């Protein structure tokens, strides 16, 4: 029997597990293939919804489900100590969980995601509200509900981070919210970014700078935050800037999962070296890497994981069935960008073709809302 282990049950792990079980249905039903998902928690959070929760636009319970409900019944799911991975040993085709069990595999898909690394910047955790984790989104929601006006700094600490368009959305949705609450004239909004501009892709950056200027949002970049004084409410940068704030929102530094570092299989930020076309871990033909976990130069976003899941699935299926075909990932990404509380644009691009975002509209806003709603029933379950 062939065993496929999926390390991580987030967006990437769930989609690829469901896609694999569908593609390998005959083999799974005959007991020739076993698919196992390992994760510390049985709670599945739809992370793109955290920003909506943080801004008070969605209820917290709308973005959380039980992982078991999302996985095909034929997939084995282990969580808690039985699912918490403490070591990955690709040289031995083994994954070790917190209960001490060694799980051997024929194929491994690493989907351990990206995680907040607050402690890199002194004072940041005490001062900043973020929607980049579920628990923090709840705190941000409360802080925004209490906000009555003042200087708001929206800071992106380091690149890369999950959901690259998220800070743009946070800024523009928050700005629109202050208008609707009647406090825009009492609110100064400053957006700080670690490289020049507001976004890393020129075509999108140009459009967003134009929108920011039209909406009276100040831009300070490059701004590489070095420390935050929570008492004095001052954020400082490597470039010598000091900005006083009443409310600090933003994106903390990100790293790959601790288990990647503990296993010695990642770079210095725990991203796993990955072939950008085959999505195989470099040096291991039976290990694939998907979603935020990779070191490939592409957005760490849910749609990226979805596009990648087709490639990983096809390559594992072809290998199991003995066909020599290799499917290649072209770097495809699709992201909606909310530009207010009722309008959005989007970017669709790959390794060779940069995005050309259309003018923001109500139609694209509803595209984003629909995508969020269909996640549970279509995307996570790999229906298409």
């Amino acid at each position: 029997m062939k065993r496929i282990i999926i390390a991580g049950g987030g967006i990437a792990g769930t989609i690829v597990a469901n896609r694999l079980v569908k593609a390998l249905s005959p083999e799974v039903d005959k007991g020739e293939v076993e698919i196992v998902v390992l994760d510390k928690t049985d709670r599945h959070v739809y992370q793109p919804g955290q920003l909506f929760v943080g801004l008070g636009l969605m209820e917290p319970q709308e973005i959380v489900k039980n992982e078991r409900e999302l996985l095909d019944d034929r997939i084995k799911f282990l969580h808690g100590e039985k699912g918490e991975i403490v070591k990955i040993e690709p040289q031995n085709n083994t994954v070790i969980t917190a209960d001490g069990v060694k799980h051997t595999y024929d194929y491994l898909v690493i989907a351990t995601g990206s995680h907040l690394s607050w402690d890199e910047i002194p004072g940041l955790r005490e001062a900043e509200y973020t929607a980049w984790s579920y628990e923090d989104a709840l705190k941000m929601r409360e802080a925004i509900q209490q906000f009555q006006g003042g200087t708001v700094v929206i800071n992106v600490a380091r690149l890369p981070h999950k959901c690259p368009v998220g800070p743009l959305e946070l800024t523009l949705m928050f700005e629109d919210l202050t208008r609707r609450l009647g406090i825009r004239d009492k609110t100064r909004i400053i957006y700080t970014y670690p490289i020049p501009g507001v976004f890393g892709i020129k075509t999108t950056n140009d459009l967003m700078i134009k929108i920011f200027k039209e909406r009276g949002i100040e831009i300070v970049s490059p701004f590489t935050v070095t420390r935050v004084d929570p008492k004095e409410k001052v954020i400082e940068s490597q470039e010598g800037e000091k900005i006083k704030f009443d409310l600090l929102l933003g994106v903390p530094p990100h790293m790959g999962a601790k288990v990647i570092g503990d296993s010695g299989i990642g770079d210095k930020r725990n991203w796993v070296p990955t072939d950008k076309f085959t999505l195989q871990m470099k040096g291991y033909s039976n290990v694939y890497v998907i979603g935020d976990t990779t070191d490939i130069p592409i957005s760490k976003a849910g749609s990226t994981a979805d596009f990648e899941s087709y490639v990983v699935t096809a390559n594992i299926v072809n290998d199991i069935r003995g066909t020599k075909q290799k499917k290649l990932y072209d770097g495809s990404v699709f992201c909606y960008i909310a530009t207010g509380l009722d309008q959005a644009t989007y970017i669709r691009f790959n390794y060779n073709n940069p995005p050309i975002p259309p003018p923001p509209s109500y139609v694209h806003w509803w595209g984003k809302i629909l995508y969020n709603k269909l996640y549970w029933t279509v995307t996570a379950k790999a229906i298409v």
Side-chain angles (χ1 to χ4, degrees):
M1 183 179 70
K2 301 284 187 188
R3 179 182 286 130
I4 305 167
I5 290 182
I6 319 289
I11 290 176
T14 303
I15 294 172
V16 79
N18 282 329
R19 214 174 282 297
L20 277 163
V21 80
K22 285 179 170 61
L24 288 165
S25 238
E27 290 87 347
V28 171
D29 292 343
K30 286 181 203 162
E32 295 169 1
V33 170
E34 181 183 48
I35 298 170
V36 184
V37 172
L38 302 174
D39 200 293
K40 182 179 179 177
T41 178
D42 63 350
R43 185 182 73 164
H44 186 106
V45 178
Y46 177 57
Q47 294 182 47
Q50 289 168 181
L51 182 55
F52 282 73
V53 168
L55 288 164
L57 305 173
M58 285 177 80
E59 294 306 312
Q61 63 270 22
E62 291 182 74
I63 67 165
V64 183
K65 284 199 186 300
N66 187 284
E67 175 69 8
R68 182 68 267 177
E69 291 173 29
L70 298 175
L71 293 172
D72 187 292
D73 291 341
R74 295 168 293 175
I75 296 167
K76 187 175 178 182
F77 175 49
L78 300 176
H79 58 88
E81 282 200 341
K82 292 180 178 179
E84 181 183 354
I85 301 165
V86 295
K87 194 92 180 285
I88 297 170
E89 298 179 341
Q91 69 279 11
N92 299 324
N93 296 329
T94 301
V95 168
I96 303 170
T97 44
D99 58 356
V101 174
K102 293 187 175 185
H103 303 262
T104 58
Y105 60 79
D106 295 282
Y107 300 91
L108 175 66
V109 182
I110 305 177
T112 47
S114 54
H115 304 270
L116 305 186
S117 182
W118 286 104
D119 297 338
E120 288 183 47
I121 298 160
L124 190 69
R125 187 193 285 270
E126 293 78 24
E128 183 174 86
Y129 294 95
T130 186
W132 269 254
S133 87
Y134 178 78
E135 286 73 21
D136 286 302
L138 301 181
K139 294 176 191 170
M140 182 177 120
R141 180 188 183 94
E142 199 175 314
I144 286 177
Q145 284 170 350
Q146 292 170 1
F147 181 71
Q148 297 295 314
T151 298
V152 181
V153 172
I154 297 172
N155 168 258
V156 179
R158 300 286 185 269
L159 301 176
H161 59 80
K162 70 178 104 187
C163 194
V165 302
L168 301 172
E169 296 188 297
L170 168 58
T171 305
L172 294 169
M173 291 167 84
F174 177 78
E175 192 275 339
D176 195 355
L177 184 64
T178 62
R179 288 180 190 275
R180 293 172 192 233
L181 293 173
I183 57 171
R184 182 65 182 98
D185 58 338
K186 296 191 289 182
T187 305
R188 180 187 181 198
I189 302 174
I190 304 169
Y191 182 89
T192 69
Y193 201 63
I195 61 174
V198 298
F199 192 68
I201 300 172
K202 187 181 185 309
T203 50
T204 310
N205 182 55
D206 291 348
L207 173 64
M208 289 298 150
I209 285 176
K210 181 171 172 286
I211 294 171
F212 275 37
K213 285 181 176 172
E214 286 168 358
R215 304 265 285 271
I217 297 161
E218 298 172 46
I219 300 164
V220 180
S221 68
F223 185 101
T224 311
V225 58
T226 51
R227 66 182 292 271
V228 181
D229 185 330
K231 289 197 177 75
E232 295 299 317
K233 294 196 170 182
V234 173
I235 182 168
E236 299 178 22
S237 78
Q238 185 178 290
E239 292 77 16
E241 298 269 2
K242 289 187 180 184
I243 306 173
K244 191 140 178 45
F245 60 84
D246 296 295
L247 179 63
L248 178 63
L249 306 174
V251 189
H254 281 56
M255 285 187 76
K258 181 176 179 290
V259 67
I260 302 300
D262 291 346
S263 304
I265 60 171
D267 62 16
K268 63 182 180 180
R269 296 201 67 79
N270 295 347
W271 310 124
V272 177
T274 307
D275 185 292
K276 67 187 268 192
F277 298 112
T278 65
L279 301 178
Q280 288 164 309
M281 178 180 169
K282 288 181 179 173
Y284 296 93
S285 61
N286 67 334
V287 180
Y288 289 85
V289 194
I290 189 171
D292 292 1
T293 312
T294 76
D295 71 342
I296 61 179
I298 206 74
S299 297
K300 294 186 183 299
S303 75
T304 306
D306 194 11
F307 282 116
E308 290 171 341
S309 71
Y310 291 95
V311 175
V312 172
T313 298
N315 288 338
I316 291 175
V317 171
N318 288 342
D319 207 55
I320 286 174
R321 291 181 178 162
T323 60
K324 300 297 180 191
Q325 290 173 308
K326 210 63 167 169
K327 191 172 173 73
L328 301 179
Y329 176 56
D330 67 355
S332 282
V333 180
F334 179 95
C335 291
Y336 282 107
I337 309 173
T339 53
L341 299 180
D342 60 3
Q343 57 174 327
T345 180
Y346 65 83
I347 49 176
R348 172 77 195 258
F349 61 101
N350 58 30
Y351 291 140
N352 298 318
N353 301 293
I356 304 170
S361 79
Y362 189 64
V363 173
H364 303 319
W365 167 259
W366 279 105
K368 182 177 178 70
I369 298 300
L370 191 62
Y371 185 87
N372 285 350
K373 288 190 181 299
L374 290 176
Y375 173 74
W376 299 116
T377 52
V378 177
T379 313
K381 295 192 174 183
I383 299 298
V384 291

